[in-house]
Amino acid sequence: MIERALEALEAAGERELLALLAPDGAVVERRSGAELLGEVGAWQAWLRGRGVAPGERVALDLPRVPALLAAHLAVLASGACAVPLNPALSADERRRVLERAEPVCAITPHDRPDRAAAPWLAAPDPRRPALLIFTSGTTGQPKGVPHSLASLDANLEALARTWGLTRDDRLLHALPAHHVHGLVLGLYGSARLGLPVVLLPRFDAALCLRSFALHETSVFMGVPTMYHRLLRCEERGSVESVRVFISGSAPLAPADFHAFQKRFGQAPLERYGLTETLIVSSNPLDAERRPGS
């Protein structure tokens, strides 16, 4: 996966691959493929300076900013294992997660890498854990689930085929970036294709509806609560540029499924997965989509 991501960034060159929006919808940061590639190398130098070796775990405690993607790719390219942290954790929850994960260091908002540098691949083992992602903990303490580069790549390749994702798409990203949905599907999946991403600072239904047309996004990934709020938002933004609305992380209520199809002209595409398995099933892209199935 990481080889494909670095190749996609290099191939993109000066093409914009990442844009961060302000709450009013204005673009406050942009990154081209070349700029992201240089940041990956800079973060790798930062990791090397702290003695991070292949196979060791690195916690990533970063907000939704362009550096988040570059730092993750740097950890993977260095052969280390990324441990994303949920920024909403309490101090006690955070302590328990770190005790279980045992990272050798953490990348925080206060850390800054040196100047841009050429990235390198530390002969990553495709079967060694590359991502340790924690479950939500809804029925017990969060559990760390390891995924290898091979398993990530296989799942993301299958999803790209299933949903017809290409570098010509543009993703409007409004999900938290510490779990499978927002991190693996949204950021890793886009990076390995060279698919541009528009990052919202947080989910806001009105901002979403304005951004679809303003930034000509073609893909949206959300959870049922987001679709429920989009339906009840009075903003009258156009969704003509969006070719697929993907819903997951929980069942979408049939009433919202049908109401969304009626208002916006297309049915959400539901998929199912787990932190432990990644995504295992999906409604079809070009055939009947059944609510609750």
Side-chain angles (χ1 to χ4, degrees):
M1 188 208 84
I2 185 59
E3 293 95 335
R4 282 202 59 171
L6 295 182
E7 289 170 0
L9 296 185
E10 184 176 15
E14 297 306 315
R15 179 174 177 243
E16 183 182 292
L17 288 189
L18 203 58
L20 175 66
L21 304 187
D24 64 359
V27 177
V28 291
E29 288 191 62
R30 302 177 188 271
R31 294 289 190 280
S32 67
E35 288 170 331
L36 283 170
L37 203 62
E39 287 188 22
V40 172
W43 279 115
Q44 283 189 280
W46 188 93
L47 293 168
R48 177 180 281 177
R50 280 147 187 80
V52 176
E56 292 184 323
R57 296 170 183 170
V58 177
L60 290 107
D61 187 14
L62 293 172
R64 295 166 52 78
V65 293
L68 177 67
L69 175 58
H72 267 274
L73 295 180
V75 172
L76 302 185
S78 300
C81 179
V83 184
L85 298 181
N86 179 355
L89 292 176
S90 67
D92 190 51
E93 291 169 330
R94 179 190 175 88
R95 176 186 56 78
R96 289 199 296 267
V97 166
L98 290 173
E99 285 176 352
R100 291 190 176 105
E102 298 181 329
V104 295
C105 71
I107 299 177
T108 74
H110 305 292
D111 295 311
R112 296 288 188 273
D114 294 328
R115 61 184 181 277
W120 66 88
L121 279 173
D125 183 342
R127 291 175 176 76
R128 182 168 54 204
L131 176 66
L132 184 67
I133 197 160
F134 278 79
T135 59
S136 60
T138 52
T139 59
Q141 293 298 326
K143 295 174 284 294
V145 178
H147 287 289
S148 67
L149 288 173
S151 66
L152 292 169
D153 193 63
N155 198 240
L156 291 173
E157 175 64 21
L159 292 176
R161 293 181 182 181
T162 299
W163 299 336
L165 300 174
T166 73
R167 65 188 299 272
D168 295 323
D169 282 307
R170 178 175 280 109
L171 172 69
L172 185 63
H173 193 298
L175 291 161
H178 60 270
H179 54 39
V180 168
H181 201 169
L183 176 63
V184 177
L185 275 61
L187 294 182
Y188 287 8
S190 297
R192 73 183 290 279
L193 294 174
L195 186 160
V197 176
V198 177
L199 276 174
L200 270 63
R202 62 180 179 81
F203 174 73
D204 177 271
L207 179 57
C208 271
L209 289 172
R210 291 195 301 272
S211 298
F212 290 135
L214 183 61
H215 299 285
E216 298 182 321
T217 55
S218 58
V219 179
F220 180 73
M221 299 179 185
V223 299
T225 300
M226 292 179 177
Y227 288 102
H228 187 80
R229 292 179 181 173
L230 286 170
L231 275 170
R232 281 145 187 81
C233 181
E234 295 181 357
E235 186 78 31
R236 308 309 297 181
S238 169
V239 299
E240 289 184 4
S241 66
V242 186
R243 66 173 186 82
V244 60
F245 289 94
I246 298 167
S247 180
S249 297
L252 182 64
D256 284 345
F257 177 96
H258 292 299
F260 194 91
Q261 184 176 29
K262 181 178 180 180
R263 175 174 172 180
F264 296 109
Q266 58 175 299
L269 187 155
E270 290 190 84
R271 56 60 172 185
Y272 175 77
L274 295 168
T275 305
E276 293 86 347
T277 63
L278 303 178
I279 309 306
V280 296
S281 64
S282 171
N283 261 232
L285 179 66
D286 297 317
E288 179 189 3
R289 301 174 193 172
R290 300 179 184 177
S293 175

